[in-house]
Amino acid sequence: MTSTYDVLLERLQAAFDRVAPGADPVLRQSERGDYQANGVMSLAKQVGRPPRDVAEEIVGLVNLDEVATVEIAGPGFLNLTISPPFLNTQLRTLLGDARLGVAVASPAKNVVIDYSAPNVAKEMHVGHLRSTVIGDALARMNRFAGHHVIARNHVGDWGTPFGMLIEHLVDLGEDEAMASLSMGDLDSFYRAARTKFDADDAFKERSRARVVALQAGDGETRRLWSILVNESVAYFAEVYTKLDITLAPEDVVGESYYNDMLEDVVRDLDQAGLLVESDGALCVFPPGFTNRDNEPLPLIVQKRDEGFGYAATDLAAVRDRVRNLHADELLYVVGAPQGQHFEMIYAVARLAGWLPENVRCEHVAFGNVLGPDRKMFKTRSGETVKLIGLLDEATERAHAALEGRQSGLSEPEKLHLATQIARAAVKYADLSTERQRDYIFDLERMIAFEGDTGPYLQYAHARVRSIFRRLGTRWDSSAASFALEAPAERELALGLLAFPEAFELALAPLQPHRLCVYLFDLAQRFTSFYDACPVLSAEGALRDERLALCELTARALSLGLSLLGIEAPDQM
Ligand code: ARG
């Protein structure tokens, strides 16, 4: 189906084009649900005429026939009121459309999303939580839009720390090391290695030699290294399962994967005449990047000791993703502090010719997670907060909240529901914040059943489903037609019809919070409707109409939540 928004936009566009090509109308849903069109003012400027004049010409030209009526407002806004028969047609089509009006993208793009990316033998911290949750939502949204998503979990599995980590593993013995890592005790493993490295010169020497052996591809060293990697990756997989994240083991393509490409990357850069030696290191100075003293800023490709770093790996990754994965879009869901790193990577990749103009490249940056004291979220003793512990705590709280309810659920059902609620709480709190902003991790607020929370939206969905349970009999929506006489019915209907543009407005700028805003608004429209319009006690056609609005609401909430990676249980 063509969404209501698209129908209006197409018709307005045709009228705009007849006045003068080049200017576009901008449509947005107004408070009460109908639409307002912007753009007359810039069109008027373009043709050098008074806006009112142009607005009147457009009103005369636009072919809205059965779709809507139009009025001029203010200096040249166009207010559109959708006609009842068109609303009815659109809603009836919506009933039969599993995609709720969202078109399938054509052509489909290859979208490579780099997200989660924790580091081997290190705890996943809350920053990784954000990357994981936002990245997974973007993956789901892109898949739903019809694109081909390739997830890349760029885990930190390479570099100098692996010398000391491997030596520590040797000291501990493989069995004990494996036990400690598989318990998810990653940070104390890392810290112990670090402490020895700093205190013990012999250990330091062994660690250095180990790095060399690792880079040289020594078999035994590689075997020990893969124990570290495998145990950590298995632990990460557990976290993903707990959080219901779609990342699969085969999406783990860590830094080490690009190792064999690095020499070639350097050669390419050299051939392009981009490499400069500076203090013994090989660097590229992309134009436009300077430090505080206004000196050109280098991207270090190969260090003095001949080792390659984080930047070289990311350059190789860009090249690989465009050349071998045929990426049309490269998204990096990584914290805001790495912004300059990515800007420089893109700039160098473009200079090197690895990144054609038509490949969209985006650092999907996000802000910090803060503790209740508004400082970086840390435990009292200053350690990183364990992701998995937070989720367990959220589950316990949700479970306790369910204990107090008369739900008729069995104990295992309650436990399952508690995990669903906990995930919703944590994910929604993250996704509903505009991603560039910091937010305070406040479990109490996140898990509340009231307010703009994940559990509230789940509850709103379950409440709609409960109407159908109380109905008892099977109900068939095919007879429903929509007169929408009560204002609350009409507002809910307009909210439902706005699903496609809400989805698009979230996906295009990679801002999942906009989908959250839409879903919360829809839930509120439903509440107003449900307060004003009895459903089960209505009769005949009115009951069918209201049930159909309920059905569409439940579907919009559950589809919307699923795109955010949040389950919508039928009963709560
Ligand atoms: N492992 C890095 C970290 O924990 C994030 C990697 C992000 N992805 C990338 N391609 N650089 O900070």
Side-chain angles (χ1 to χ4, degrees), residues 114 116-119 125 128 154-156 255 310 314 321 332-334 338 341-342:
D114 185 312
S116 193
N119 300 311
H125 55 66
H128 296 120
H154 195 84
V155 298
E255 295 178 16
Y310 190 57
D314 264 325
R321 290 168 190 182
Y332 292 83
V333 190
V334 185
Q338 293 194 38
H341 164 76
F342 284 110

Side-chain angles (χ1 to χ4, degrees), residues 145-159:
H147 298 304
H148 176 224
V149 170
I150 306 165
R152 278 291 176 263
N153 191 354
H154 195 84
V155 298
D157 62 358
W158 202 250

Side-chain angles (χ1 to χ4, degrees), residues 20-295:
D24 294 330
V26 181
L27 258 193
R28 60 176 190 89
Q29 208 175 28
S30 53
E31 260 324 73
R32 301 183 67 81
D34 287 77
Y35 290 86
Q36 185 167 79
N38 255 330
V40 170
M41 260 81 91
S42 45
L43 179 60
K45 204 182 260 168
Q46 190 186 322
V47 296
R49 286 168 44 197
R52 281 249 16 142
D53 233 47
V54 175
E56 267 158 33
E57 188 181 345
I58 296 219
V59 168
L61 283 171
V62 69
N63 172 20
L64 285 172
D65 34 55
E66 77 291 3
V67 171
T69 54
V70 59
E71 258 171 37
I72 303 171
F77 296 112
L78 300 173
N79 282 349
L80 298 153
T81 307
I82 302 169
S83 73
F86 188 61
L87 276 179
N88 180 45
T89 311
Q90 288 296 86
L91 288 162
R92 285 183 51 84
T93 315
L94 205 59
L95 277 171
D97 180 4
R99 299 181 56 83
L100 288 178
V102 177
V104 179
S106 163
K109 290 183 289 188
N110 290 329
V111 183
V112 178
I113 313 183
D114 185 312
Y115 70 103
S116 193
N119 300 311
V120 164
K122 271 198 185 170
E123 194 53 63
M124 280 177 92
H125 55 66
V126 282
H128 296 120
L129 166 75
R130 295 215 69 185
S131 174
T132 305
V133 169
I134 296 169
D136 210 49
L138 293 176
R140 290 171 194 256
M141 288 163 72
N142 269 293
R143 282 187 204 114
F144 181 69
H147 298 304
H148 176 224
V149 170
I150 306 165
R152 278 291 176 263
N153 191 354
H154 195 84
V155 298
D157 62 358
W158 202 250
T160 40
F162 281 89
M164 69 177 194
L165 292 169
I166 293 171
E167 284 308 317
H168 181 53
L169 181 142
V170 170
D171 287 358
L172 276 184
E174 286 173 36
D175 288 344
E176 199 180 326
M178 259 150 92
S180 142
L181 290 170
S182 66
M183 269 169 52
D185 205 2
L186 273 54
D187 268 352
S188 44
F189 187 92
Y190 194 95
R191 238 179 299 120
R194 182 85 235 176
T195 309
K196 271 199 270 177
F197 186 86
D198 289 338
D200 177 346
D201 282 342
F203 184 81
K204 197 181 261 177
E205 241 353 277
R206 272 159 61 200
S207 301
R208 292 225 169 100
R210 210 37 115 163
V211 178
V212 176
L214 181 64
Q215 271 157 355
D218 170 61
E220 173 63 5
T221 302
R222 280 287 186 141
R223 189 185 68 80
L224 295 167
W225 168 80
S226 49
I227 293 175
L228 289 172
V229 175
N230 294 342
E231 290 301 324
S232 302
V233 166
Y235 168 70
F236 300 148
E238 259 175 60
V239 178
Y240 299 147
T241 306
K242 268 209 174 182
L243 264 175
D244 189 20
I245 294 298
T246 61
L247 277 172
E250 59 270 22
D251 301 328
V252 174
V253 180
E255 295 178 16
S256 63
Y257 174 81
Y258 303 96
N259 229 359
D260 294 342
M261 307 173 194
L262 299 178
E263 304 255 0
D264 208 42
V265 160
V266 173
R267 201 168 320 124
D268 263 19
L269 291 173
D270 199 19
Q271 269 163 15
L274 293 167
L275 275 190
V276 178
E277 205 183 308
S278 170
D279 278 334
L282 293 179
C283 308
V284 181
F285 289 88
F289 293 90
T290 49
N291 67 12
R292 276 202 208 118
D293 300 326
N294 228 9
E295 294 156 354

